[in-house]
Amino acid sequence: MNLITLKELCEMLHISRRTIQCYEKEGLMVATNKNKYGHLLYDEKAVERAKTIKFFRDLGFKIKEIKGIIDASNDIKKEALENRVKELEQKKRKLEVIIKETRRLINELI
Amino acid sequence: MNLITLKELCEMLHISRRTIQCYEKEGLMVATNKNKYGHLLYDEKAVERAKTIKFFRDLGFKIKEIKGIIDASNDIKKEALENRVKELEQKKRKLEVIIKETRRLINELI
DNA sequence: TTGCTCCTCACGTCACGTGAGGTGGC
DNA sequence: TTGCTCCTCACGTCACGTGAGGTGGC
C-alpha cells in the first residue's frame, strides 16, 4: 500500500491543492488517510479517482455532472462521453473559425 | 442616425442583456441614449463597439485585458492578437488530443 | 526561536445568471 | 386594472485563487 501526500498528488496531476480540496468538498473523492502530523495521504485507488475526475473536468464536465456519471453504469458514461465528444468537435470547429478570422484581422492591422 | 434598443442589440449579437450591462459597468462601452421611457438606445458606433468587445471575448480575452487593448494602437492590438492566436492553436491541439482519448475510452466501454 | 511545510476555513474573483421590485404605455 | 416590456440593483453561481491563522517536526 503506497501512500502519497497531497502535495505529491497535486504534482502528479498538475493541479492545485485547492482543486483537490474542491473535489473533496463536493463529495467526489476522499483522502485515504492522515499521517500522525495530520497530513493528508492518498493510496493508488484515490489517485486513480483523482485522475478520472480531472479527465472529466478536462472534457468540460461540471463537478455536479461528474457526480452523476463517475459511479454510473458504462452505458450512462458512454452516452455522456459521446455527447461531450460531439460538443468538443463543435468547439473545435468554432475555434478554427475564430483563429482564421483573427489571422485576417491581424493582416488588416499592418 | 439609426438607434436600436438594448433588446435589438442583444438579439443582433446573440448575447444577454446582462452581458451588455457587464460591459457597461466595466467601462468598456456606454449606451448612446435613452428614449423618453428610459429605454436604453444604441447607435451604429455603439453597436460596432459591442461587436468588437464580443469578438475579443470570443477570443478568450478577459474584460480587463480588453480594456487595455481595445483603444490601444494597432501595434499593441496586433501583438495581443498574435499571442492569442498561438494560445488558441495550443488549445486546439489539446482539444484534438482529448477528443482522441475520449474516443478510445468510449470504445473500451463497449 | 526560526524557518518550512501542511492544515482548515473563508473571503475574493470572473463573467455573467437570475430574480426582486419598480416604472410606463396600451 | 391587467399584461407586457424595460430598468436598476444585488445576491447567486462555478471552480477554484489567495490569503489568514494555527500546528508540528527540525
Side-chain angles (χ1 to χ4, degrees), chain A residues 58-59 89 96 98 102-103, chain B residues 58-59 89 92 102-103:
Chain A
D58 286 345
L59 273 169
E89 290 187 327
E96 285 166 351
I98 207 163
T102 308
R103 284 245 169 75
Chain B
D58 286 345
L59 273 169
E89 289 187 327
K92 190 186 143 188
T102 308
R103 284 245 170 73

Side-chain angles (χ1 to χ4, degrees), chain A residues 6 14 18 22-23 26 47 49 61-62 64-65 82 87 89 92 98-102:
Chain A
L6 173 56
H14 306 104
R18 188 71 187 76
C22 185
Y23 295 168
E26 295 294 327
V47 173
R49 182 81 174 181
F61 285 104
K62 293 179 183 173
K64 282 176 187 170
E65 292 172 329
E82 281 171 347
E87 288 171 35
E89 290 187 327
K92 191 185 143 190
I98 207 163
I99 286 174
K100 273 187 196 168
E101 277 180 30
T102 308

Side-chain angles (χ1 to χ4, degrees), chain B residues 59-101:
Chain B
L59 273 169
F61 286 104
K62 292 178 184 174
I63 289 203
K64 281 177 187 169
E65 292 172 329
I66 297 175
K67 282 178 85 168
I69 55 174
I70 192 166
D71 292 319
S73 68
N74 277 2
D75 277 359
I76 290 177
K77 262 186 211 166
K78 203 177 163 184
E79 196 188 339
L81 289 173
E82 282 171 347
N83 288 335
R84 179 56 47 162
V85 164
K86 284 177 196 162
E87 289 170 36
L88 291 182
E89 289 187 327
Q90 258 292 80
K91 206 173 161 186
K92 190 186 143 188
R93 282 191 288 274
K94 278 187 186 172
L95 247 182
E96 285 166 351
V97 170
I98 206 163
I99 286 174
K100 274 187 196 169
E101 277 179 30

Side-chain angles (χ1 to χ4, degrees), chain A residues 17-77:
Chain A
R17 169 185 62 80
R18 188 71 187 76
T19 300
I20 294 290
Q21 192 184 21
C22 185
Y23 295 168
E24 296 186 346
K25 272 204 178 158
E26 295 294 327
L28 271 177
M29 61 178 288
V30 285
T32 310
N33 218 328
K34 287 189 179 186
N35 67 11
K36 57 179 175 174
Y37 314 130
H39 296 190
L40 296 161
L41 299 175
Y42 300 84
D43 65 9
E44 287 177 32
K45 260 187 96 173
V47 173
E48 283 311 308
R49 182 81 174 181
K51 277 187 190 171
T52 304
I53 296 167
K54 182 173 160 37
F55 176 71
F56 281 123
R57 284 291 299 129
D58 286 345
L59 273 169
F61 285 104
K62 293 179 183 173
I63 290 202
K64 282 176 187 170
E65 292 172 329
I66 298 176
K67 281 178 85 171
I69 55 174
I70 192 165
D71 292 319
S73 68
N74 278 3
D75 276 359
I76 290 177
K77 263 187 208 164

